[in-house]
Amino acid sequence: LWFANTWSWGCRPAAEDACGIRPMLKADAAGVVAASHPTLGKYRLTAERAPDGSHPELLFTENDTNRERLWRAPNDSPYVKDSFHERVIHGRTQAVTPEQRGTKAAAWYRLEVSAAQSVTLRLRLRKAESSAQPTFGREFDLILAERQREADEFYLSRGHASLSSEERRIARQSAAGLL
């Protein structure tokens, strides 16, 4: 989960109420990220436990370009947008912020998945004021199926009905890339 870096762009008339205000993501509980944005409001991202019952490790950094890597210019913070790669691939624990807050967050699951095996990992993003606890069972599956049906209807109404199933898959992936 991350916020687009608009805080470093300067003020734009349409967003004067949020000019220069950096939104915030922070660890709220095991597997839960609290999100706060000056114009979007407050949300919570909840990551389902892994199949072994463990919570994923929450990683945080800033969604700021790594100017040092790209242009050999100093970074404002050691926590830049490619920090997750440094942590996961290179094992650099100091690449992510120990305060567990920033403008970019990830739920890191460490799983061993055998050949021909699959694992489903589910996350839910909800308004913070929602009083119900997020569930990941049947309710989650029903909501996901409904959203998939809505997306299918949308694309069929945009001319995809005349395409073969393979062509529909390719056209949909192409449209998703544009969105």
Side-chain angles (χ1 to χ4, degrees):
L1 180 66
W2 68 93
F3 289 115
N5 183 343
T6 57
W7 54 88
S8 66
W9 298 354
C11 291
R12 298 182 327 272
E16 282 185 22
D17 60 327
C19 273
I21 299 173
R22 189 180 286 252
M24 178 61 63
L25 300 170
K26 64 180 181 176
D28 191 48
V32 180
V33 176
S36 179
H37 189 279
T39 57
L40 298 174
K42 295 182 178 186
Y43 289 83
R44 289 169 57 91
L45 177 72
T46 305
E48 182 179 33
R49 290 176 184 250
D52 68 3
S54 66
H55 288 285
E57 180 180 347
L58 297 178
L59 304 177
F60 292 85
T61 190
E62 297 298 335
N63 193 18
D64 292 319
T65 299
N66 187 342
R67 294 183 301 216
E68 185 176 308
R69 178 172 281 166
L70 292 176
W71 305 297
R72 295 190 175 107
N75 289 320
D76 292 334
S77 163
Y79 312 116
V80 291
K81 66 173 53 187
D82 53 353
S83 292
F84 297 158
H85 175 86
E86 291 299 317
R87 174 65 185 105
V88 173
I89 303 302
H90 300 293
R92 292 189 52 237
T93 56
Q94 70 276 17
V96 294
T97 177
E99 290 86 18
Q100 290 202 300
R101 61 180 172 76
T103 53
K104 188 175 176 185
W108 183 17
Y109 290 89
R110 299 179 207 184
L111 306 171
E112 231 177 88
V113 183
S114 301
Q117 182 187 17
S118 68
V119 175
T120 300
L121 303 171
R122 298 177 286 199
L123 293 91
R124 290 198 68 176
L125 180 65
R126 300 165 53 106
K127 287 248 184 214
E129 62 267 9
S130 176
S131 60
Q133 290 296 319
T135 59
F136 292 101
R138 181 157 167 70
E139 178 191 0
F140 183 96
D141 295 338
L142 291 172
I143 292 169
L144 184 61
E146 176 68 10
R147 296 303 170 261
Q148 287 173 330
R149 186 191 58 72
E150 291 169 352
D152 291 343
E153 287 177 5
F154 172 81
Y155 286 110
L156 288 173
S157 73
R158 300 301 188 275
H160 291 200
S162 63
L163 303 175
S164 70
S165 61
E166 179 67 7
E167 290 169 331
R168 277 197 300 272
R169 186 184 66 75
I170 291 168
R172 191 160 169 168
Q173 286 176 344
S174 174
L178 294 172
L179 296 174

